[in-house]
Amino acid sequence: MRDRLAELKKASPDAPALEVQTSAQAADVEKGSAPPTPMKTFFDEISNMRGAINTIKKLVTDVEETHGKALTAVSEEQGADHAKAIDEFMDQINMQAGIVRRKLKDMEKVNQDFEKKNPNSSDARIRASQHAVLVKKFTDTMTEYNEVQNKFKGKYKQRLQKQFLIVKPDASPDEVEKVVNGEGGAAIFAQQIMPGAQYMEAKQALQDIQERHQDIIKIEKSILELHQLFVDMSVLVAQQGELLNQIDSHVSKAVEYTEQGVEELKEANVIQKKSRKRMCILIFCLVVLAVVIGVGASIPKILSGH
């Protein structure tokens, strides 16, 4: 199986950079160079965090693709490989999300202190707006992850139900629900799996149900962790809500002004073409007038010569 996780680690060097930035700054000081300005350090951190969020988005895509492969695996070995890959992707997402969440909280405190020391400064507004954009980007990414996990939780449950009905086609809805929720599923199967024509099929169905139930438990645990993350982030979102609305308003106005400017440029271009045409006509008329005047002035001289 293709090791997508290893490729992401190599292709995303910006995520670990969140933790090693200060060492580079210390090296600059040892070399005698000027220390970075507060805004330079701030923008470097913004860039690193943006890279980390992009890494999470890639991992979410990999989780979704691997869930799909796990549901269509044709062998036990393939299913185990996909399950292992999903676990590794989820661990990476949780680790990166924890780093980003902590950094966003720290940045909020630093920005508040900066605002107190530099009230109404443009730098303070820039810091607040950049932080608000990151909060929204991170929240949107984790919301997408939550939706992926919920979607495949439902699909795993559907497959588990189908596997159960292979062994007990006359199962009641209550029995199916108990198996889906992990309540006595093995006991029910023990009663149903007896030597016979369908013995191996039923035994494989039991093993598949047990594996799918473990997958569902892992997804539910991930969703609970995401819920706590959303609780933490909701405070930042609420604090930045008004600022985000202002940013959206400014962006909308900027688009509107840009479209208006394009139309005005088109009108100006048309007017300019008309002006050039009028200028050419005027020049032509002046030339004709000059020729007529010149000819008119030369006629008396010609006549007097005769």
Side-chain angles (χ1 to χ4, degrees):
M1 178 181 173
R2 183 182 177 186
D3 194 349
R4 185 77 178 93
L5 182 64
E7 294 178 4
L8 278 168
K9 290 179 180 178
K10 294 179 180 178
S12 305
D14 41 13
L18 286 169
E19 305 294 339
V20 300
Q21 182 180 357
T22 53
S23 62
Q25 296 174 1
D28 289 339
V29 174
E30 290 178 1
K31 294 177 182 178
S33 58
T37 63
M39 291 305 292
K40 172 66 167 59
T41 302
F42 172 77
F43 282 116
D44 286 345
E45 189 170 5
I46 288 289
S47 178
N48 289 335
M49 292 178 67
R50 198 173 283 130
I53 294 173
N54 288 336
T55 297
I56 294 174
K57 284 183 69 68
K58 292 177 183 177
L59 288 167
V60 170
T61 300
D62 287 329
V63 166
E64 184 173 15
E65 291 177 353
T66 312
H67 270 313
K69 293 176 182 178
L71 285 170
T72 57
V74 295
S75 69
E76 181 181 347
E77 183 180 358
Q78 283 185 349
D81 288 342
H82 293 319
K84 181 180 178 181
I86 291 172
D87 289 344
E88 292 177 347
F89 289 140
M90 288 168 57
D91 288 343
Q92 283 290 310
I93 289 174
N94 292 336
M95 181 186 71
Q96 294 292 342
I99 293 174
V100 172
R101 177 175 56 179
R102 185 176 71 251
K103 291 290 184 179
L104 286 172
K105 288 184 175 180
D106 292 344
M107 184 179 289
E108 174 69 12
K109 294 177 182 178
V110 172
N111 286 352
Q112 290 175 353
D113 292 340
F114 189 91
E115 171 66 25
K116 291 178 181 178
K117 295 177 182 179
N118 305 274
N120 300 321
S121 70
S122 59
D123 284 350
R125 290 193 296 271
I126 290 172
R127 295 173 75 100
S129 64
Q130 288 292 318
H131 179 263
V133 170
L134 274 184
V135 169
K136 187 176 187 305
K137 184 179 178 68
F138 178 57
T139 304
D140 289 347
T141 299
M142 299 312 294
T143 298
E144 180 185 351
Y145 178 46
N146 186 57
E147 290 172 353
V148 167
Q149 294 292 68
N150 275 306
K151 179 178 72 174
F152 280 97
K153 176 185 174 182
K155 290 187 176 183
Y156 280 122
K157 283 188 173 183
Q158 289 175 2
R159 178 167 176 175
L160 192 153
Q161 291 171 358
K162 291 179 181 178
Q163 294 295 336
F164 177 61
L165 291 173
I166 289 175
V167 176
K168 193 174 183 181
D170 59 342
S172 67
D174 289 340
E175 287 178 324
V176 173
E177 186 66 23
K178 285 182 179 180
V179 170
V180 170
N181 294 328
E183 300 174 6
I188 294 174
F189 268 92
Q191 297 172 5
Q192 298 295 323
I193 299 180
M194 300 296 292
Q198 294 183 335
Y199 174 75
M200 292 304 299
E201 183 180 5
K203 186 176 181 181
Q204 179 61 40
L206 171 59
Q207 184 176 354
D208 193 62
I209 276 188
Q210 291 172 335
E211 292 174 354
R212 295 291 77 78
H213 185 257
Q214 289 301 315
D215 292 335
I216 291 172
I217 291 174
K218 291 176 184 178
I219 291 176
E220 288 177 342
K221 181 181 177 182
S222 171
I223 292 173
L224 287 175
E225 292 173 349
L226 283 172
H227 175 70
Q228 183 57 47
L229 183 145
F230 286 129
V231 170
D232 292 343
M233 297 307 299
S234 64
V235 177
L236 291 178
V237 172
Q239 292 173 347
Q240 301 291 352
E242 183 178 353
L243 183 57
L244 286 171
N245 291 334
Q246 292 176 359
I247 292 172
D248 289 339
S249 176
H250 291 328
V251 170
S252 298
K253 288 181 179 179
V255 172
E256 182 180 345
Y257 293 151
T258 300
E259 292 175 350
Q260 183 179 350
V262 170
E263 292 300 323
E264 290 177 353
L265 284 173
K266 289 180 180 178
E267 292 178 4
N269 191 32
V270 171
I271 293 172
Q272 186 179 29
K273 289 180 179 179
K274 290 181 179 179
S275 298
R276 288 177 180 173
K277 185 176 180 180
R278 290 171 183 170
M279 182 63 71
C280 291
I281 294 172
L282 178 60
I283 292 173
F284 177 76
C285 291
L286 290 174
V287 171
V288 171
L289 180 61
V291 170
V292 170
I293 293 173
V295 171
S298 61
I299 289 176
K301 294 181 179 179
I302 295 173
L303 293 175
S304 63
H306 292 286

